[in-house]
Amino acid sequence: MRLITLSENTAGQPDVLAEWGLSILIEQKERRILMDSGAGLSVIKNAELLGVDLTAIDTIILSHGHYDHTGGLQQLLTAIGHEVTIVAHPDVFAPKYSRVKGKPERYIGLPFDRQKLEDLGARFILSREPVTITEKIITSGEIPMATDFEKIASSFIQKAGDVFIPDPLLDDLSVIISTPLGLVVVLGCAHRGMINILRHAREVTGQAKIHMVVGGSHLKDSKDEQVWLAISALNEMGVQKLAVCHCTGMPATLLLAQTYGKDFIFNQTGSVIEIKDN
């Protein structure tokens, strides 16, 4: 099995395009499953440079409805050129905004309406519960908020009629892959907490061993104390390897890299991670 990062904030090799956002291709035998579509410009270009055949993609999983994970959908569906299953939470189409003090609310949700995407071949499966993709790959479903140190940023809001309300980001999904080495958990942004997600992954699969965590852990605005609490929880769970990126943020990334040493991967656009699958 291979995980190929088609879009991320930084470029890991010459010529590939870095863009704020995330898109990770999961190749498992004959299956091609894409987690997120990036913000819009990068996935198509990078797939060509990396020798990835987008027409082989049969399933897209949307980690949540923010533009930097869904903005490439229209171009992507056009490039795929056939019907494709898209798995997401029902709230993926919610009107999502960001509020920063002193600035007007900014729309950050999915930039396309459902009908437009369906006209291009999207066939949506919207579920609050885990969805089975293959015998070894499932989505997380909704993530319980269990830890006392992981919170959803107050800057994320939804529009309800004429008013704004806090966005609970119930649509925050991850991909959980069972391998002989343990679970591989692919995060979108982990808005509901990386540790909450990993504990939930162990619960829904019945597997305690976590081999690797890949993707965005949304620690970019966290104080060192929260990062160290996360590191302590990772150690307690025995997480073996980290390949976090995107919204993890450089300060937290450096702390995680220092802690994990050779078992930390600076996951960037163009990174290819190979994992034993049998």
Side-chain angles (χ1 to χ4, degrees):
M1 182 175 64
R2 297 199 305 170
L3 305 181
I4 304 173
T5 300
L6 296 180
S7 180
E8 202 271 329
N9 310 357
T10 59
Q13 58 180 275
D15 300 325
V16 295
L17 180 64
E19 181 181 31
W20 181 270
L22 191 64
S23 180
I24 297 175
L25 180 68
I26 303 166
E27 293 185 342
Q28 186 194 41
K29 297 181 180 177
E30 74 282 357
R31 299 297 301 272
R32 300 294 181 269
I33 300 159
L34 189 68
M35 169 79 151
D36 292 336
S37 68
L41 298 175
S42 54
V43 169
I44 304 297
K45 173 181 172 59
N46 292 336
E48 181 179 358
L49 288 168
L50 297 169
V52 171
D53 179 10
L54 294 175
T55 66
I57 294 172
D58 57 73
T59 304
I60 298 171
I61 299 168
L62 298 180
S63 66
H64 59 300
H66 286 163
Y67 76 94
D68 52 330
H69 295 254
T70 61
L73 266 179
Q74 183 169 299
Q75 292 183 54
L76 181 61
L77 289 170
T78 300
I80 291 172
H82 56 77
E83 289 189 0
V84 59
T85 299
I86 298 183
V87 179
H89 186 280
D91 285 0
V92 74
F93 290 104
K96 296 175 176 293
Y97 288 77
S98 174
R99 174 185 282 155
V100 178
K101 187 176 181 180
K103 296 183 179 181
E105 290 81 7
R106 179 172 67 97
Y107 182 75
I108 59 170
L110 204 159
F112 314 109
D113 64 53
R114 179 171 179 172
Q115 187 59 58
K116 175 65 175 178
L117 297 175
E118 289 179 339
D119 289 344
L120 292 171
R123 298 296 176 260
F124 285 95
I125 296 176
L126 302 179
S127 175
R128 299 179 183 276
E129 302 298 325
V131 174
T132 298
I133 309 299
T134 74
E135 182 182 352
K136 297 181 179 180
I137 301 175
I138 65 171
T139 62
S140 63
E142 289 185 4
I143 305 299
M145 297 294 289
T147 64
D148 58 4
F149 60 90
E150 293 178 310
K151 309 292 181 185
I152 297 169
S154 61
S155 58
F156 295 120
I157 54 177
Q158 283 188 32
K159 197 166 189 179
D162 295 328
V163 300
F164 289 101
I165 60 174
D167 186 353
L169 279 155
L170 294 174
D171 54 326
D172 178 41
L173 300 184
S174 296
V175 178
I176 306 168
I177 308 168
S178 296
T179 80
L181 299 173
L183 297 178
V184 174
V185 182
V186 186
L187 312 171
C189 264
H191 285 295
R192 290 180 67 84
M194 173 173 61
I195 304 306
N196 285 329
I197 292 167
L198 298 180
R199 290 176 178 173
H200 180 68
R202 297 204 304 184
E203 182 176 341
V204 298
T205 62
Q207 298 183 52
K209 190 175 181 181
I210 300 175
H211 173 60
M212 183 180 293
V213 181
V214 182
S217 64
H218 215 273
L219 291 169
K220 67 183 184 70
D221 297 320
S222 301
K223 296 180 180 179
D224 284 358
E225 180 184 4
Q226 180 175 340
V227 179
W228 284 115
L229 287 169
I231 289 172
S232 177
L234 291 169
N235 289 334
E236 181 183 343
M237 287 187 285
V239 175
Q240 297 172 330
K241 294 178 182 290
L242 291 182
V244 291
C245 57
H246 180 42
C247 55
T248 301
M250 192 53 68
T253 295
L254 293 174
L255 287 176
L256 291 165
Q258 185 179 38
T259 301
Y260 270 78
K262 64 181 178 59
D263 292 322
F264 186 90
I265 297 169
F266 282 93
N267 192 24
Q268 300 174 297
T269 303
S271 293
V272 178
I273 300 171
E274 297 194 10
I275 299 166
K276 183 178 180 181
D277 194 30
N278 51 46

